[in-house]
Amino acid sequence: MANILIYGDSNTHGTVPLRELGQSTRYPAGQRWTDILARQLGPGHTVVAEGLPGRTSVHHDPVDGGNRNGLDVLPAVLGSHVPLDLVVVMLGTNDLKPRFPGTAFEIARGVERVVGAAQALLPEGLIVLVCPAPVRAAGVLVDAFEGAEARQAGLEDQMRAAAARAGVPFVAAGDHVAVSDIDGVHWEAEAHAAFGAAMADILGGLLAERGLSEGEKAVAKAANALPAPDPDAPEPLITATRAVPPHWADYNGHMNESHFLTVFSDACDQLLHWAGMDADCVAEGYSVFTVETHIRHLAEVDLGDHMEVRCRVIEGGGKKLHIWQEIWVGERLCATGEQLLLHVDLGLRRPAPPRADVGGWFARVKAAQAHLPVPDGFGRHVGQPRQAVNAPDHARS
């Protein structure tokens, strides 16, 4: 399992939005985003929250003091918690205070130095850079953050570029949370809950891809598992829901094409699991092989977008399993995936009828969805106009 350290400032500490200067109220254990992250990652993972209110990237604070230079104290902090598999660096908010010089570029460079130091101290560890949520002029911190709104213009882009130079995953906290109206800097409890859940999805995916262990892969996959649906429901089944993690980006800044197949493949695995094709079923010699997959990319899917996969069973119950899947982000259809699979006898490595319960489940789903119209794009090959498609009779309404 993974040892994770979160290196940040007051929002990592769990500071409640300030109504008066000098207030030092902290959300109780269990409500802070780091606690929610730990809970959703599951048993066995250790999450250490090293959040110091007022911590900067590379500046000593001439007003508040207190060893708030994040670069200086980093070696002691990391050394106190080794071994570490992953470190999240979320700094930069306090660098926006007028007492510290610097543009958005210089603030990002300061955070980049912290990331570089962490990489040097933990050469085998994974470092993740998080750009803080944008601040707003509000409440008792208006003077403390005077001019910060203007100075933070372009900060996310500069932080993203810093992460790219360092070769580390990037997360924009502002994609998931907004600061409180009370003081314009700290987060409400609902924001902590939302960010903890988002980071559990992102970090769980990163840990699974690093292959720390089969157990960690199972934990990450289980976090995205959905309860079994009614196979007689007359609408498409929701086979996957997840946010796009930062490490899925390509050079265009959106989800890379390879991960569309990952999403559709994971959603298909969920469907098969619901049907009864679990480890015991495979051990008995029943499985499926993919024959053909056709993916259409209809709209961009950006980092942090929350995807929902909807699935129809066009043919099922016999040797053939023909499914139609769609990736939706909100009300926007972003991609379709048409997949043909064959049930096989693993002993013979040849097509064979599925186990009776598996075939029966797919037959029920097919029958329940039979009234639905032919999906737009069904049966197409590359470059083929839709009107040229002749859908099979069983798929027509």
Side-chain angles (χ1 to χ4, degrees), residues 17 23 49 58 71 74 105 120 127 185 196 203 206 220 241 258 269 283 333 347:
Q23 176 187 335
V58 296
L71 183 62
L74 180 69
F105 169 76
I127 315 300
V185 172
L203 299 186
L206 286 169
T241 61
S258 64
D269 284 346
L333 175 61

Side-chain angles (χ1 to χ4, degrees), residues 269-278 355 357-362:
D269 284 346
Q270 176 68 90
L271 185 73
L272 291 165
H273 181 76
W274 286 336
M277 189 170 289
D278 53 17
R355 198 173 68 180
D357 60 323
V358 174
W361 193 89
F362 280 119

